[in-house]
């Protein structure tokens, strides 16, 4: 039986239950007790009128989310003295408490008991953040489980608690991002964008991923969704993080972080759509005294047939022709993902940590392409092509960290990361008249140094500043057997040096100001040996951000924000690649891309778990993937990324969670955006505008205490894609979860893309320049997956030494 928000109190040895929202326990005596208890708590503050002094604090859960409508009790020798209720930000204030020795008590079903002794001297006292830990509690033989909402709003980010999603079973993290967080994946360019607003940066457990393109997609494909705890979506990331990514940033938090004791989980997965899927994963942790170590490993094998298509017309030739290309692809992906970390408290205030992580992802495909040409006289010509391609990414990375606490209010953190990636991407095209082979190898190396300092200057002022130095290089070698000027050797070295500072001010009891500045200087050198060309880019930019939060009432708050960001060209575009889709079309990179600059202005109104956000985005030089153009001889379409001169987006979004019934929880996220763009493309002026909306919904039903059913899905209307138009698409998913008796594990059965509707259609139709193409992509659909998960050992979410570096990272993110 699920109780959504009940609270449990113990006074003089007796338990009382109260709740701000309806629950599923309906005995009349409990209802009378709840009403009496609420009236008693509300009246108690009126009885304490001794001195005009203040006690305050803020209650948050284990994810650092504010917990509203929680009852706070002050007891003396087990006797209730005074109480209050937290507001929508989890904050509370108690006035007129006399000096003495007390207990601060917070007890709630779904959370571990919180009890803290304190001596009050009669002056102002700030408890700071009081963190509740999620827990299942048994009351009168019934297990009452605290369950997080799917979407939770933090100070400047959106938390998506994907571990609550039954339908995520059997998926990869990449599929999870696509169906849950509003991320779009360009299968041709291997890039990610967030809600159509540009490229998005990806972090894993607070560490920024340094690669993009196929390397990033290989990483996300190798991570099973069952290992993900929650996603944190930043629309306007703080100054601490790099300014790259016009679409914002997503932090992927995995499980078994910040745990005490020894334990972990393991899972097995099997599934089938149009091809078989198998997977196994495990993670472990051990935290005893000064030593904290953890690790994880996952293996996945996925055969996922798919279909590509391209219809194109050539009207500039002497004889007009139409080309219909269909590619039936049968890829199999085998991936291994691993991590190992160790933290050691060498001194009372000094922690040292080392971490090793890596993956191997091999995508092996055979495709059968059919190309049909039709000229103006309706004469047909058919061509069959057999394509073989391997894309094998290997990665290994190491991290070294020292964290030094300088008293209670100062902290210094030094980080060094060394990352190595290698891609081996051979392909071949076999037709009746000949054979073409392409060999492509790309090693990439990163070295990153960072130093961060934080200082709690006072109870109302927090300061943070730091520096980062990043150096990366790659060498991309492409050898084409038929050559035709397509072979190349490209090298790039890039240096990014950054300084940042951020400030947070509490201006009175209801106003909070957060601001920051980040300066980045980028030096980029790109050389192509074949053409003896050399491109050098040097630029420096200042990236400010500002956020003002105003608590209007206990249930309502208002927030204004501004930020400036940059979108740098991806390595995948700067390191030229070639992908043929028949003899009449190819996809390629663009080494001439320039970075784009983005300004974001937004206002948000929130009330008790719900919010409405209005945002305006101005982008100069926006990078739009794979815009079609005709080759110089007019006989081939070339798809590559282009800079768009101006792009503006007006966006409105709101989240409405509510309870339809005690056994039915509903979460709905709606987004509407209106986009305009202006650009000069192939000597022709384009002015386009279009509205788009996206609806994401999750409906969860509690069938019994151990069984849940979930229906989830999304729908997105057609939208602009540069000079092209992206067609409407959506998906419907179904999942069932059952917890086995005696803690024997959990079974998840999921069905994804049930109606085979998550398909792509990209249409480009213009007369000047004369371009007429239709790209289609039909991924694998109707996938059924069964996952078994079992936890072992201790899994209490608790910090090892009070406030660890991970906690500070979360604080800085907030």
């Amino acid at each position: 039986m699920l109780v959504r928000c009940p609270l449990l109190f113990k006074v003089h040895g007796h338990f009382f239950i109260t709740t701000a929202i309806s629950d599923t326990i309906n005995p009349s005596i409990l209802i009378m007790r709840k009403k009496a208890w609420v009236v008693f708590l509300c009246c108690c503050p009126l009885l304490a009128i001794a001195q005009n002094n203040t006690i305050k604090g803020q209650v948050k859960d284990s994810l650092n989310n504010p917990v509203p409508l929680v009852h706070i009790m002050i007891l003396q020798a087990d006797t209730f003295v005074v109480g209050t209720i937290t507001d929508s930000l989890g904050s509370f204030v108690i006035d007129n408490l006399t000096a003495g020795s007390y207990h601060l008590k917070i007890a709630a079903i779904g959370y571990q008991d919180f009890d803290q002794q304190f001596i009050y001297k009669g002056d102002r006292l700030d408890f700071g953040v009081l963190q509740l830990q999620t827990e299942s509690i048994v009351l009168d033989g019934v297990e009452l489980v605290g369950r997080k909402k799917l979407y939770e709003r933090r100070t400047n980010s959106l938390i998506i608690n994907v571990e609550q999603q039954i339908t995520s079973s059997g998926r990869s993290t990449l599929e999870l991002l696509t169906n849950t967080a509003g991320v779009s994946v360009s299968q041709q360019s291997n890039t990610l964008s967030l809600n159509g607003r540009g490229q998005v940066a990806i972090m894993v457990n607070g560490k920024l991923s340094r690669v993009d393109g196929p390397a990033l997609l290989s990483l996300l494909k190798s991570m099973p969704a069952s290992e993900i705890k929650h996603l944190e979506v930043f629309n306007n990331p703080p100054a601490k993080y790099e300014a790259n990514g016009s679409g914002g940033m997503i932090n992927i938090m995995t499980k078994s972080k910040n745990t005490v004791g020894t334990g972990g989980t393991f899972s097995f997965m099997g599934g089938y759509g149009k091809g078989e899927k198998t997977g196994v994963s495990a993670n472990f942790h051990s935290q005893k005294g000064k030593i904290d170590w953890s690790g994880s490993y996952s293996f996945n094998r996925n055969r996922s047939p798919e279909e590509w298509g391209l219809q194109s017309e050539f009207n500039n030739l002497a004889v007009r022709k139409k080309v219909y290309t269909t590619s039936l692809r049968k890829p199999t992906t085998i991936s291994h993902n691993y991590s190992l970390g160790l933290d050691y408290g060498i001194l009372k205030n000094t922690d040292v940590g080392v971490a090793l992580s890596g993956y191997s992802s091999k995508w092996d495909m055979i495709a059968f392409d059919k190309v049909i040409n039709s000229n103006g006289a309706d004469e047909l010509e058919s061509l069959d092509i057999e394509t073989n391609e391997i894309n094998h990414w290997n990665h290994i990375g190491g991290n070294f960290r020292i964290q030094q606490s300088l008293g209670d209010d100062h902290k210094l953190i030094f980080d060094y990361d060394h990352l190595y990636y290698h891609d081996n991407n051979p392909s071949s095209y076999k037709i009746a008249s000949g054979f073409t082979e392409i060999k492509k190898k790309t090693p990439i190396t990163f070295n990153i140094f960072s130093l961060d300092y934080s200082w709690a200057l006072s109870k109302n002022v927090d300061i943070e500043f730091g520096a980062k130095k990043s150096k990366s290089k790659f060498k991309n070698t492409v050898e084409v057997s038929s050559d035709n000027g397509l072979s190349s050797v490209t090298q790039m070295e890039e240096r990014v040096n950054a300084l940042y500072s951020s400030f947070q001010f509490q201006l009175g009891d209801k106003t909070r100001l957060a601001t920051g500045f980040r300066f980045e200087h980028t030096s980029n050198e790109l050389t192509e040996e074949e053409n003896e060309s050399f491109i050098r880019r040097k630029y420096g930019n200042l990236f400010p951000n500002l956020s003002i939060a105003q608590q209007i009432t206990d249930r309502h708050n208002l927030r204004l924000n501004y930020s400036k960001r940059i979108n740098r060209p991806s390595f995948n575009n700067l390191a030229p690649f070639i992908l043929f889709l028949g003899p009449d079309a190819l996809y390629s990179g663009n080494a001439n891309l320039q970075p784009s600059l983005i300004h974001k202005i937004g206002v948000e109104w929130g009330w008790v778990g719900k919010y409405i956000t209005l945002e305006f985005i101005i982008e100069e030089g926006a990078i739009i993937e794979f815009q079609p153009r005709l080759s110089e001889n007019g006989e081939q379409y070339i798809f590559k990324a282009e800079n768009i001169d101006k792009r503006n987006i007006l966006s409105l979004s709101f989240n409405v969670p509510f309870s339809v019934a005690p056994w039915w929880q509903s979460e709905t996220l709606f987004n509407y955006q209106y986009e305009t763009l202006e650009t000069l493309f192939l000597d022709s002026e384009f002015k386009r505008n279009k509205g788009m909306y996206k609806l994401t919904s999750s409906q969860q039903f509690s069938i019994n205490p151990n069984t849940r059913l979930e229906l989830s899905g999304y729908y997105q209307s057609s939208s602009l894609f540069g000079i092209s138009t992206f067609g409407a698409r959506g998906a419907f998913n179904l999942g069932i979860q059952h917890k086995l008796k005696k803690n024997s594990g959990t079974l998840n059965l999921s069905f994804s893309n049930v109606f085979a509707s998550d398909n792509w259609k990209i249409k480009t139709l213009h007369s000047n320049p004369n371009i007429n193409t239709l790209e289609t992509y039909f991924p694998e659909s109707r996938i059924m997956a069964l996952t078994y998960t079992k936890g072992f050992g201790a899994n209490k979410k608790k910090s090892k030494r009070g406030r660890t570096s991970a906690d500070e990272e979360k604080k800085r993110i907030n």
Side-chain angles (χ1 to χ4, degrees):
M1 178 184 300
L2 173 66
V3 178
R4 294 188 297 115
C5 297
L7 304 170
L8 182 68
F9 301 99
K10 181 180 180 183
V11 182
H12 289 306
H14 298 284
F15 285 91
F16 297 87
I17 297 177
T18 184
T19 178
I21 309 175
S22 63
D23 54 65
T24 59
I25 299 177
N26 292 317
S28 59
I29 187 170
L30 289 182
I31 295 175
M32 293 176 64
R33 281 185 178 181
K34 287 188 289 183
K35 293 180 178 179
W37 188 243
V38 171
V39 172
F40 176 64
L41 286 176
C42 292
C43 294
C44 277
L46 301 177
L47 304 178
I49 51 173
Q51 299 180 17
N52 186 23
N53 300 312
T54 300
I55 295 176
K56 68 177 183 177
Q58 186 181 27
V59 179
K60 293 186 176 183
D61 62 16
S62 57
L63 292 178
N64 245 11
N65 299 315
V67 184
L69 305 177
V70 168
H71 289 270
I72 308 297
M73 294 191 300
I74 304 295
L75 296 93
Q76 189 173 49
D78 289 334
T79 300
F80 180 84
V81 178
V82 68
T84 188
I85 301 175
T86 59
D87 61 21
S88 62
L89 294 180
S91 300
F92 66 89
V93 177
I94 295 177
D95 298 318
N96 303 317
L97 184 68
T98 59
S101 178
Y102 297 94
H103 279 269
L104 171 68
K105 200 170 189 69
I106 307 173
I109 292 177
Y111 296 98
Q112 297 177 19
D113 291 345
F114 184 95
D115 192 346
Q116 180 176 324
Q117 294 183 354
F118 69 98
I119 297 176
Y120 184 56
K121 298 180 180 180
D123 54 1
R124 186 181 179 91
L125 176 61
D126 187 355
F127 283 101
V129 174
L130 304 173
Q131 199 164 58
L132 301 183
Q133 305 297 327
T134 304
E135 185 180 64
S136 297
I137 296 178
V138 177
L139 177 63
D140 295 334
V142 180
E143 183 180 16
L144 305 175
V145 181
R147 183 172 300 156
K148 302 181 182 72
K149 297 177 181 178
L150 178 60
Y151 298 98
E152 295 185 62
R153 196 66 176 173
R154 282 194 185 178
T155 305
N156 63 350
S157 64
L158 175 67
I159 294 291
I160 306 176
N161 292 305
V162 295
E163 66 177 347
Q164 301 291 326
Q165 277 199 307
I166 306 169
T167 54
S168 65
S169 172
R171 297 186 188 179
S172 69
T173 300
L174 181 63
E175 295 170 315
L176 188 67
L177 290 172
T178 303
N179 286 275
T180 305
V183 172
S184 298
V185 183
S186 173
Q187 298 292 335
Q188 303 102 321
S189 63
N190 296 296
T191 55
L192 304 177
S193 63
L194 181 62
N195 291 323
R197 303 177 191 175
Q199 293 185 22
V200 59
I202 297 293
M203 292 191 296
V204 180
N205 294 324
K207 303 292 292 184
L208 185 66
S209 174
R210 295 289 165 177
V211 292
D212 45 31
L216 177 58
L217 265 62
S218 295
L219 167 64
L220 299 177
K221 288 178 181 177
S222 69
M223 296 174 62
S226 58
E227 290 295 303
I228 307 304
K229 180 178 179 63
H230 68 265
L231 307 174
E232 186 167 16
V233 182
F234 292 92
N235 193 26
N236 298 295
K240 173 182 174 62
Y241 297 105
E242 293 183 10
N244 189 43
S246 60
M249 179 182 292
I250 297 178
N251 186 19
I252 302 171
M253 295 299 297
T254 59
K255 295 178 179 178
S256 71
K257 296 292 176 184
N258 300 322
T259 54
V260 72
T262 300
T265 61
F266 62 87
S267 66
F268 303 93
M269 184 275 292
Y272 191 86
K274 294 181 180 179
E276 67 281 356
K277 295 133 197 351
T278 56
V280 59
S281 65
N283 63 70
F284 64 90
H285 61 267
S286 178
Q287 185 170 305
K288 296 180 180 179
K290 297 181 178 181
I291 299 178
D292 179 4
W293 60 287
S294 62
S296 66
Y297 170 77
S298 64
F299 165 80
N300 282 277
R301 184 182 186 276
N302 181 16
R303 189 168 67 88
S304 52
E306 58 191 25
E307 180 180 334
W308 287 73
L310 175 63
Q311 300 177 25
S312 52
E313 292 189 15
F314 298 82
N315 299 317
N316 294 340
L317 303 176
V319 178
R320 297 175 59 184
K321 70 172 183 178
K322 298 180 180 180
V323 179
Y324 305 89
T325 303
T326 302
S327 179
L328 301 177
R329 301 187 163 200
K330 299 180 179 180
T332 299
T333 304
I334 298 176
S335 60
H336 305 263
N337 193 304
Y338 59 89
S339 67
L340 184 64
L342 172 66
D343 289 291
Y344 179 66
I346 58 176
L347 296 173
K348 180 180 179 180
N349 295 320
T350 306
D351 295 337
V352 174
V354 292
L356 179 71
S357 63
Y359 68 84
S360 172
S361 179
K362 184 178 182 181
W363 185 79
D364 194 343
M365 181 206 70
I366 182 171
F368 301 96
D369 304 343
K370 179 173 283 294
V371 183
I372 299 176
N373 292 326
S374 173
N375 59 27
D378 292 330
E379 296 180 1
L380 299 179
E381 177 186 4
S382 180
L383 179 66
D384 293 319
I385 305 174
E386 179 182 315
T387 303
N388 290 271
E389 182 179 357
I390 293 175
N391 197 357
H392 190 183
W393 277 93
N394 285 288
H395 160 63
I396 186 169
N399 168 262
F400 174 74
R401 161 179 281 218
I402 299 178
Q403 176 177 297
Q404 178 68 49
S405 297
L406 309 172
D408 295 333
D409 302 325
H410 304 261
K411 188 162 291 186
L412 187 66
I413 300 176
F414 169 78
D415 262 302
Y416 168 68
D417 290 272
H418 177 79
L419 309 174
Y420 176 77
Y421 297 83
H422 186 273
D423 178 35
N424 184 25
N425 184 204
S427 59
S428 63
Y429 303 86
K430 182 180 179 181
I431 59 178
S433 59
F435 178 82
T436 300
E437 183 178 15
I438 300 175
K439 297 179 180 179
K440 179 178 179 293
K441 292 184 178 181
T442 311
I444 308 175
T445 305
F446 293 87
N447 286 284
I448 307 106
F449 300 86
S450 66
L451 186 65
D452 302 287
Y453 173 73
S454 60
W455 179 20
L457 183 61
S458 69
K459 294 180 180 180
N460 296 321
V461 180
D462 291 323
I463 299 175
E464 186 177 16
F465 53 86
K468 180 174 289 186
K469 181 180 181 64
S470 173
K471 180 180 179 180
S472 59
K473 63 179 181 179
F474 71 72
K475 182 177 181 179
N476 185 70
T477 304
V478 178
E479 298 178 8
V480 183
S481 60
S482 59
D483 203 328
N484 295 327
L486 298 176
S487 298
S488 65
V489 178
T490 306
Q491 298 187 67
M492 190 191 78
E493 288 193 11
E494 183 177 75
R495 294 177 176 85
V496 180
N497 298 320
L499 296 172
Y500 79 90
S501 62
S502 64
F503 309 88
Q504 295 193 41
F505 305 94
Q506 186 67 43
L507 308 176
D509 294 332
K510 295 187 176 182
T511 306
R512 187 165 185 83
L513 171 66
T515 185
F517 301 90
R518 184 181 184 90
F519 178 79
E520 292 184 356
H521 183 269
T522 303
S523 174
N524 183 298
E525 296 181 357
L526 184 71
T527 60
E528 294 185 15
E529 296 183 3
E530 293 294 321
N531 300 325
E532 297 183 352
S533 61
F534 179 80
I535 300 174
R536 172 179 291 173
R537 301 183 180 94
K538 286 188 177 182
Y539 49 91
N541 300 99
L542 180 66
F543 301 98
N545 64 66
L546 175 67
S547 176
I548 303 175
Q550 177 68 37
Q551 188 71 34
I552 301 174
T553 67
D554 288 344
R555 291 172 172 264
H556 298 266
N557 60 82
L558 187 68
R559 182 180 307 279
L560 304 174
N561 59 72
Y562 165 78
S563 68
K564 178 183 177 182
R565 297 186 62 78
I566 190 172
N567 193 20
R568 297 186 179 92
S570 69
F571 286 164
N572 193 47
N573 275 314
L574 297 179
F577 66 94
I578 299 171
L579 170 65
F580 287 101
L581 194 60
D584 302 287
L586 67 85
Y587 296 84
S588 175
N590 185 355
N592 295 314
L593 285 176
Q594 298 294 323
S596 66
L597 292 175
I598 306 98
H599 299 268
K600 295 183 177 182
I601 304 171
V603 58
E604 178 179 292
W605 173 41
W607 74 103
V608 195
K610 306 174 182 65
Y611 67 87
I612 295 178
T613 303
L614 182 66
E615 185 177 53
F616 185 61
I617 302 173
I618 303 172
E619 186 169 8
E620 302 171 1
I623 299 175
I624 309 295
E625 297 293 336
F626 292 100
Q627 302 296 284
R629 63 167 66 204
L630 286 168
S631 60
E632 293 183 0
N633 59 14
E635 297 180 352
Q636 188 179 54
Y637 274 107
I638 301 174
F639 295 82
K640 62 181 181 179
E642 303 283 354
N643 285 110
I644 300 296
D645 295 336
K646 296 179 181 179
R647 180 169 73 164
N648 296 334
I649 297 176
L650 180 64
S651 172
L652 175 68
S653 60
F654 61 86
N655 167 245
V656 183
F658 64 95
S659 176
V660 181
W663 45 268
W664 181 359
Q665 304 299 316
S666 175
E667 295 269 359
T668 301
L669 182 66
F670 178 81
N671 173 259
Y672 175 82
Q673 62 184 42
Y674 185 79
E675 178 180 351
T676 63
L677 64 85
E678 297 181 12
T679 192
L680 187 66
F681 180 69
L682 297 179
D683 297 326
S684 296
E685 185 175 348
F686 284 82
K687 291 185 178 180
R688 308 191 71 206
N689 58 80
K690 186 175 179 61
M692 179 272 286
Y693 67 90
K694 183 174 183 178
L695 184 69
T696 305
S697 183
S698 171
Q699 309 297 319
Q700 296 198 8
F701 307 89
S702 295
I703 299 175
N704 59 49
N706 295 318
T707 306
R708 286 193 299 145
L709 170 69
E710 181 186 15
L711 306 178
S712 68
Y714 83 95
Y715 177 80
Q716 179 172 319
S717 66
S718 61
S719 58
L720 294 185
F721 188 62
I723 67 169
S724 309
T725 300
F726 211 123
R729 60 193 187 277
F732 174 76
N733 310 302
L734 169 68
I736 302 174
Q737 180 187 83
H738 180 70
K739 293 183 179 180
L740 303 178
K741 295 181 179 179
K742 298 181 180 180
N743 293 322
S744 299
T746 303
L747 287 174
N748 284 286
L749 180 63
S750 65
F751 302 85
S752 58
N753 199 8
V754 175
F755 299 125
S757 54
D758 198 5
N759 308 317
W760 288 24
K761 293 183 179 180
I762 305 176
K763 178 66 177 179
T764 311
L765 178 60
H766 298 287
S767 58
N768 185 24
N770 202 320
I771 298 175
N772 189 348
T773 63
L774 174 63
E775 304 167 77
T776 58
Y777 170 60
F778 300 91
E780 185 182 20
S781 59
R782 301 185 177 96
I783 303 170
M784 180 182 68
L786 179 64
T787 304
Y788 170 77
T789 304
K790 176 70 170 68
F792 59 90
N795 287 288
K796 294 182 179 180
K797 303 294 179 183
K798 188 178 293 184
S799 300
K800 180 181 72 173
R801 292 180 298 278
R803 297 172 66 189
T804 67
S805 60
D807 295 325
E808 285 302 311
E809 287 291 327
K810 292 179 182 178
K811 178 181 177 182
R812 286 193 293 271
I813 290 175
N814 288 337

